[in-house]
Amino acid sequence: KKGNYDHFMQKEIHEQPHSLTTTMRGRLRANDVVLGGLKDHLKTIRHSRRIIFIGCGTSYNAALAARPFMEELSGIPVTLELASDLLDRQGVMYREDTAVFVSQSGETADTLLALEYALEHGALCVGITNTVGSTLARKTHCGVHINAGCEIGVASTKAYTSQIVVMVMMALAIGADKISTQSKREAIINSLPDLPNKVSEVLKLDNEMKDLAESLIEVQSLLVFGRGYNYATALEGALKVKEVALTHSEGMLAGEMKHGPLALVDETLPIIVIATRDACFSKQQSVIQQLHARKGRLIVMCSNGDASSVCPSESCRVIEVPQVADCLQPVINIVPLQLLAYHLTVLRGYDVDQPRNLAKSVTTQ
Ligand code: UD1
Ligand code: M6R
């Protein structure tokens, strides 16, 4: 049921304050996080040699968003695998690995084949899924349901933000016995209950994103530059625009800018730069300066109140978002890009919920 909304994607974007609330429900305690599906396995995970996240599309991007915090809190090397690539290479996997499979549907063929592969190699297999009773939930040793509610739009939106929050909670649970990160850990746990309110705040940018979409209706191509916690936001924002608005868009690591992408910059190609406050902020400021010096058509996403300090000129468009803890910022920053992809699709007259050639659940290789 779409209720007051025109499309499921729109409904699911606006539902995120609620879906995030249900994701966290019953799992937060004073200074602690309890994931019922993992608690008996935390010791094994903490002793693993490596944590490997495996998924496809948006689910992979969610793992990419959570990786920095997972590494920081676990002290264990965290690697990422696109399921198809792991299978193509028959990548190395050990009994001492923890393999975490991320899938909204729990039925994606590549992800399930990668799970078979990891089970054969003796790794501890953990699932993160939105679908109770799915093949992924049944075949993994343990896991966490993201409890985001049914997602119908082919473009994944609310599942992405809930997946990130579950992986952040997983990092908090794994890191419970580490002294050096305790104060940061407690600060994040105590800020989680307010995250849905911050998402409600960022959803107020809806009209602004519609205006931005109007200004982009004719463009053939769009770049999104991010780094650190928001490298994933760049990939995921670009994926949304690509799959529903049928517009070429590419998410890029800003640190790679001078290694090729800079050659594309001119007055016509729109470039979204994510420059919210975190440890990478000053590096992103210098990226903006360099793009401006080459007359790039800039759209900057920054923290509330930072517009004048990050924007080099009047011609630069700004998206101001609320600031939250660095590891949670990707949950906020993706929302304006989801709205942008949605409005661009509607303005162009394409099918929002059923983009051409795509299926909600990719059950064939
Ligand atoms: C569980 C109940 C929830 C109840 C809560 C109360 C279910 C599905 N969940 O939630 O209704 O309110 O206890 O304490 O009954 N699992 C996997 N692979 C996956 C995902 C999950 O093996 O990919 C396993 C988990 O290890 C766990 C079980 O499924 O044994 C349920 O997981 P989850 O719903 O996340 O657990 P709780 O949050 O404890
Ligand atoms: O159900 P899954 O999370 O395993 O699906 C993985 C991808 O097929 C999926 O995220 C796809 O990229 C979406 N259409 C993205 O919006």
Side-chain angles (χ1 to χ4, degrees), residues 260-312:
L262 199 52
L264 291 171
V265 178
D266 65 12
E267 289 100 327
T268 61
L269 175 67
I271 305 175
I272 301 178
V273 184
I274 301 160
T276 41
R277 291 270 173 175
D278 63 16
C280 296
F281 179 64
S282 62
K283 287 187 181 171
Q284 284 303 72
Q285 278 183 305
S286 102
V287 162
I288 292 165
Q289 294 302 335
Q290 293 173 42
L291 291 170
H292 181 62
R294 285 160 185 85
K295 301 194 168 52
R297 184 174 165 191
L298 286 173
I299 302 156
V300 175
M301 185 185 296
C302 66
S303 302
N304 274 336
D306 269 348
S308 55
S309 53
V310 292
C311 284

Side-chain angles (χ1 to χ4, degrees), residues 109-297:
D110 283 324
T111 307
L112 293 177
L113 285 164
L115 169 61
E116 295 294 335
Y117 181 80
L119 287 168
E120 280 162 24
H121 284 76
L124 174 71
C125 294
V126 180
I128 295 180
T129 183
N130 199 25
T131 316
V132 176
S134 59
T135 311
L136 184 76
R138 286 185 283 109
K139 292 198 171 168
T140 42
H141 297 119
C142 59
V144 188
H145 290 112
I146 68 168
N147 300 337
C150 187
E151 188 182 68
I152 292 170
V154 165
S156 185
T157 53
K158 65 174 181 171
Y160 177 71
T161 48
S162 283
Q163 284 167 338
I164 296 175
V165 166
V166 160
M167 286 183 265
V168 165
M169 290 195 292
M170 185 177 162
L172 293 164
I174 295 171
D177 65 340
K178 216 164 150 247
I179 313 267
S180 60
T181 46
Q182 246 5 270
S183 60
K184 177 160 188 186
R185 183 175 167 275
E186 287 174 16
I188 308 286
I189 294 173
N190 295 325
S191 76
L192 277 170
D194 194 41
L195 187 63
N197 297 328
K198 299 287 187 193
V199 173
S200 298
E201 234 178 274
V202 74
L203 282 165
K204 291 183 189 145
L205 293 174
D206 196 19
N207 280 331
E208 215 178 289
M209 291 304 108
K210 191 173 173 196
D211 287 348
L212 181 61
E214 270 161 11
S215 75
L216 298 176
I217 196 162
E218 303 296 341
V219 307
Q220 306 267 321
S221 185
L222 179 73
L223 301 185
V224 192
F225 279 2
R227 71 197 312 150
Y229 282 102
N230 287 289
Y231 173 33
T233 310
L235 297 191
E236 176 59 11
L239 177 59
K240 287 302 84 122
V241 171
K242 188 182 298 171
E243 76 174 325
V244 286
L246 317 187
T247 302
H248 170 250
S249 61
E250 248 184 282
M252 291 175 174
L253 185 73
E256 280 288 290
M257 181 177 75
K258 291 180 185 167
H259 304 288
L262 199 52
L264 291 171
V265 178
D266 65 12
E267 289 100 327
T268 61
L269 175 67
I271 305 175
I272 301 178
V273 184
I274 301 160
T276 41
R277 291 270 173 175
D278 63 16
C280 296
F281 179 64
S282 62
K283 287 187 181 171
Q284 284 303 72
Q285 278 183 305
S286 102
V287 162
I288 292 165
Q289 294 302 335
Q290 293 173 42
L291 291 170
H292 181 62
R294 285 160 185 85
K295 301 194 168 52
R297 184 174 165 191

